[in-house]
Amino acid sequence: MKHFLRVLMQFFLYLYCKCLWRSLKFVFRKVTGRCELQRICYNNKPGARRTLKIESSLKFSKNELLQSAVSVHPDSVEKTIEDIMSLKKINPDTNPQLGISLQASLLQIVGYRNLVAEVEKLRREPYDCENHEHEDMLLKLWKSLRPDAPLMGRISKQWCEIGFQGSDPKTDFRGMGLLGLHNLLYFAEHENATALQVLHDSLQPKHRDVSKEDGSKMSKLEWEKNKFDKAIGYSFAIVGINITDLAYSLLVSGALKTHLYNVAPETPTLLHFQQTFCYLMQEFHRFWTEEDPCDIMEFNRVRTKFHKRILKQLKNPDMALCPHFAASDHLVNL
C-alpha cells in the first residue's frame, strides 16, 4: 500500500511539473505581462532568495539557451543576458533593472560552479615537501601561531604544539590536500587574534566540577580521575583540516549556495570560502565547548551534530553564516 501511494504521489508530481506548472506559467505571463524570470527578479530581494529561484528556472527550462546559461564562462555572462532578453522579447531600454539583476544572479551561479572546481583542485593537490611554496606556507603557519617560539627543525615534535599529530605535518594533509593548509594559514593570518585564542583554548582543556550523583564527596583520587576524564581539549590543526572537510562537503553538495549568494554580491571566490572556514572554526570551537564532551573520542558525534545544525541554518534562504566579513559589506540592492 505504501509503495502504491509513493508511486501515485510521484505520478502527480510528474504531472504537475510537466503539465500543470507549465500551464500556470503561461497563464501568469498572460495576466502579468511578465515572464517567469521577470517575476522572480521583481518579486524577490537580491541574494539567495532571488538567485536560487533564477537558477532553478534556468536549469529546468525546455529551452537550450536557458539551460546552458548556468554553465557559461563569466566573460560570456553579459552576452548571455542579452540573448535571454532577446529570446523573451524583453526590451532592455524599458527594463534596465532586469538586465542588472539577471547579470548579478548569473555571475553568482557560474561563480559558484567555478569555485567548486577551484576548491576541488586544491583538495586534490597533495602536500609536497619538495615544493618551496608549500614549505613556505607551512612555515608561515608556524610563525603566525607561534611567533615567539622558533621552530628548531622542519621535522620536529614542536608541530604537536599547534595540533599536528606527529613530527611531520605533511602526513596530516592527505585527506584535504593543500586545501587544508590554505584554510589554516588564512585563519592564522587574517583572523590571528581569534586563531591564537582558539589554539590556546584547545591546548588548555577545561574541566567540569564533577561530583557524585548521590551528593556524597569524592576521594581525591576519584576527583583527579574524573577531572581528566572531562578534558575537552583537541588538536587545533587536525580539527582545522576536519572543518575544511566539512566546509568542502557543504560547498560540493550545494548547501553553501544560500550563504555565498547572500554574502557575495556577484562572483563567489576562494576568499569567500576561506572566510566561511574561519566562521566554522570559531563556531565549532564554541559548539565543542557547549557540548562539553567527556573526551576526544566524542569528536565524531559532536562534529555530526554541528554539521546538522549548520545544514539547518542554511535551509533559510536569507541566511548568511558570517555577515560580519568584509565581503558582505558591498551587498547592494541590484
Side-chain angles (χ1 to χ4, degrees):
M1 184 65 179
K2 288 183 178 180
H3 177 70
F4 173 74
L5 290 175
R6 191 182 301 114
V7 172
L8 191 64
M9 286 185 65
Q10 289 176 346
F11 172 74
F12 281 116
L13 183 62
Y14 173 82
L15 194 65
Y16 172 78
C17 294
K18 290 294 183 181
C19 304
L20 182 59
W21 176 237
R22 296 192 186 281
S23 300
L24 287 174
K25 284 171 65 177
F26 176 78
V27 172
F28 286 148
R29 173 144 196 175
K30 290 298 181 181
V31 172
T32 64
R34 295 174 175 177
C35 68
E36 184 179 31
L37 291 175
Q38 285 176 297
R39 295 194 300 273
I40 292 172
C41 288
Y42 292 142
N43 297 334
N44 295 275
K45 64 181 182 179
R49 190 173 289 275
R50 175 191 289 171
T51 300
L52 288 171
K53 289 182 178 180
I54 288 176
E55 186 173 16
S56 178
S57 176
L58 294 173
K59 285 173 64 176
F60 294 106
S61 172
K62 291 194 298 183
N63 186 279
E64 290 184 7
L65 171 63
L66 299 181
Q67 288 179 0
S68 62
V70 298
S71 57
V72 298
H73 190 277
D75 293 341
S76 303
V77 166
E78 190 172 348
K79 176 63 167 59
T80 302
I81 298 299
E82 292 176 1
D83 292 341
I84 290 175
M85 296 186 73
S86 175
L87 175 70
K88 295 293 185 179
K89 299 179 181 179
I90 300 171
N91 188 338
D93 296 328
T94 57
N95 295 270
Q97 198 64 31
L98 178 64
I100 297 173
S101 298
L102 280 175
Q103 183 171 332
S105 290
L106 199 54
L107 282 171
Q108 288 183 321
I109 294 167
V110 299
Y112 192 95
R113 290 173 61 93
N114 291 339
L115 175 59
V116 171
E118 184 178 5
V119 166
E120 180 64 27
K121 183 179 179 181
L122 285 173
R123 188 189 73 85
R124 288 179 176 273
E125 184 176 356
Y127 183 91
D128 182 4
C129 57
E130 300 297 325
N131 187 311
H132 294 301
E133 290 185 5
H134 296 187
E135 289 286 283
D136 286 344
M137 288 175 64
L138 185 60
L139 293 176
K140 284 180 181 178
L141 178 64
W142 173 266
K143 291 177 182 177
S144 296
L145 296 175
R146 279 285 184 262
D148 301 322
L151 188 63
M152 304 309 293
R154 169 60 181 79
I155 307 297
S156 170
K157 284 291 184 182
Q158 285 179 284
W159 290 111
C160 296
E161 295 176 19
I162 60 173
F164 286 103
Q165 289 182 324
S167 302
D168 191 352
K170 76 173 185 178
T171 58
D172 294 326
F173 291 119
R174 287 173 183 166
M176 283 289 106
L178 213 58
L179 182 64
L181 178 55
H182 270 275
N183 280 351
L184 282 170
L185 182 58
Y186 184 91
F187 186 37
E189 289 187 334
H190 292 83
E191 298 281 331
N192 185 252
T194 303
L196 289 174
Q197 185 61 56
V198 172
L199 173 61
H200 175 270
D201 293 346
S202 73
L203 293 169
Q204 301 291 328
K206 299 177 183 178
H207 309 285
R208 289 190 292 204
D209 183 16
V210 293
S211 60
K212 289 187 177 180
E213 292 182 0
D214 60 4
S216 60
K217 292 184 179 181
M218 290 184 178
S219 68
K220 184 176 180 180
L221 182 62
E222 288 177 316
W223 186 86
E224 287 293 331
K225 180 179 182 299
N226 278 277
K227 184 183 75 169
F228 285 111
D229 284 345
K230 301 303 178 183
I232 58 170
Y234 56 82
S235 300
F236 175 86
I238 296 300
V239 168
I241 295 170
N242 204 286
I243 296 301
T244 292
D245 177 63
L246 189 150
Y248 167 78
S249 67
L250 291 173
L251 180 74
V252 173
S253 69
L256 212 53
K257 286 180 179 180
T258 302
H259 163 67
L260 290 178
Y261 288 168
N262 281 326
V263 299
E266 291 187 343
T267 306
T269 65
L270 184 61
L271 175 66
H272 295 106
F273 179 76
Q274 291 174 321
Q275 289 173 336
T276 305
F277 166 78
C278 293
Y279 167 83
L280 292 173
M281 276 293 288
Q282 296 174 52
E283 287 302 300
F284 179 79
H285 178 68
R286 294 191 188 97
F287 190 74
W288 176 266
T289 305
E290 291 169 4
E291 285 292 300
D292 198 13
C294 293
D295 52 46
I296 195 64
M297 299 304 293
E298 289 197 69
F299 179 82
N300 286 337
R301 176 190 68 79
V302 176
R303 182 193 184 278
T304 299
K305 190 173 179 180
F306 177 71
H307 190 188
K308 289 180 179 178
R309 188 173 89 165
I310 296 297
L311 283 173
K312 184 178 179 180
Q313 292 175 341
L314 290 172
K315 288 181 179 179
N316 178 3
D318 297 319
M319 184 64 189
L321 293 176
C322 41
H324 61 285
F325 284 128
S328 63
D329 294 341
H330 307 292
L331 186 59
V332 293
N333 187 16
L334 293 172

